[in-house]
Amino acid sequence: MSAISLPKLPAIASSAIAMEVFNGLTERPKTLSPWLFYDQAGSRLFEAITELPEYYVTRTERQILAKHAAEIIAAAAGGCDLSITELGAGTATKTGLLLNAAVAQQGSVTYYPIDVSETALEDARTRLESEMPEVTVEPIVADYTEGMRQNNAAGAGRRLVLYIGSSIGNFSPADALDVLRGVRAQLSPGDSLLLGTDMVKDTRMLLAAYDDAAGVTARFNMNMLVRINRELDASFNPHLFRHQARWNEQHSRIEMHLESLLAQKVTVRALDLQVRFSLGETIHTENSYKFTDQRAVALLTRAGFKLQQQWSDPNKWFTVYLAAAN
Ligand code: AVI
């Protein structure tokens, strides 16, 4: 009897990206997870998105923080000294507003940015410590769960945890609840969470924010295919796919898809995988949930927080919630 010979796959075939691509492209409908956006080129494209005229999200949240930073810090501190922790901090561009307010109120502050990207955290540390000598930056290179555990173990005193930038919107409602419950589990009474959520609004405005005229979001979406080509030796031709943004009313979310412009076959050589696409078939790459006040407050409450105060821009496009761990 002859032994069955299995095809030899390269070591990359057991990596996180390989698992994601194999599972996502063999299921129906096809999906790819949004973390795949953020290689070096994708992170740069995301920074460019935050500057687009159509992408009101970052600008609007920054306006809210600029106007209310002192109030936010005073409410979170409740007369004590605070440390500030940030989830998914990246380069921490909006955080300076809150750190400044904390320095104004208590003279100095320790800032614990948590992110999986060591380079983004080092950039943030260099920039913040040179601009604000009263801020001590203690980067934590980890995912949220492990990062919050380390932060808790560091004995950071009374804590304000920032989860801003509408990042919570990229999780399904069930996963968002898990994330916030995980944060809550590492907090003590008196600590608080500042959550930034993007709100439901005019559909045309939402669609424009995720399908801008300059095509930056299209390139951001398409970059996933370029990354898979490079890292898994795949044969995607990005010109044979089209970026699509859809509003899903039932789930209150913007969806991003990559639509196949013809019937085609793509090979992912590192996985020894052939993927067939029919004309118009899509890969679902991202959900960006949009909130109502009621849904945001229900999420916080179910996660074990008590709403303390909230701030919005005059158009109510974006809301920042301060919630206490109780
Ligand atoms: C990171 N996240 C909050 C962005 C969003 O708006 O959901 C990601 C993004 N996708 C397309 N444009 C921006």
Side-chain angles (χ1 to χ4, degrees), residues 35 37 57 69-70 77 86 104 109 113 125 147 155 160 172 182 216 226-227 235 249 271 281 298 303-304 306 314:
W35 66 261
F37 287 135
V57 179
E86 184 168 10
V109 67
R125 190 221 290 259
L160 170 63
S172 69
V216 181
V226 177
R227 176 176 186 180
S235 67
E249 178 76 42
L271 304 179
E281 185 178 359
K306 185 171 184 300

Side-chain angles (χ1 to χ4, degrees), residues 37-38 46 49 55 57 165-170 198 209-210 217 220 256 286-290:
F37 287 135
Y38 299 96
F46 178 66
I49 287 175
Y55 195 76
V57 179
S166 181
S167 306
I168 194 73
N170 295 127
D198 192 18
Y210 291 83
T217 311
F220 175 69
M256 297 215 308
E286 185 178 54
N287 291 317
S288 193
Y289 285 83
K290 305 303 168 191

Side-chain angles (χ1 to χ4, degrees), residues 25 28 30 263-266 274-278 281:
L25 295 185
R28 298 284 174 279
K30 294 182 173 67
Q264 56 177 316
K265 202 167 67 188
V266 173
Q274 293 223 328
V275 188
R276 286 175 191 283
F277 289 88
S278 55
E281 185 178 359

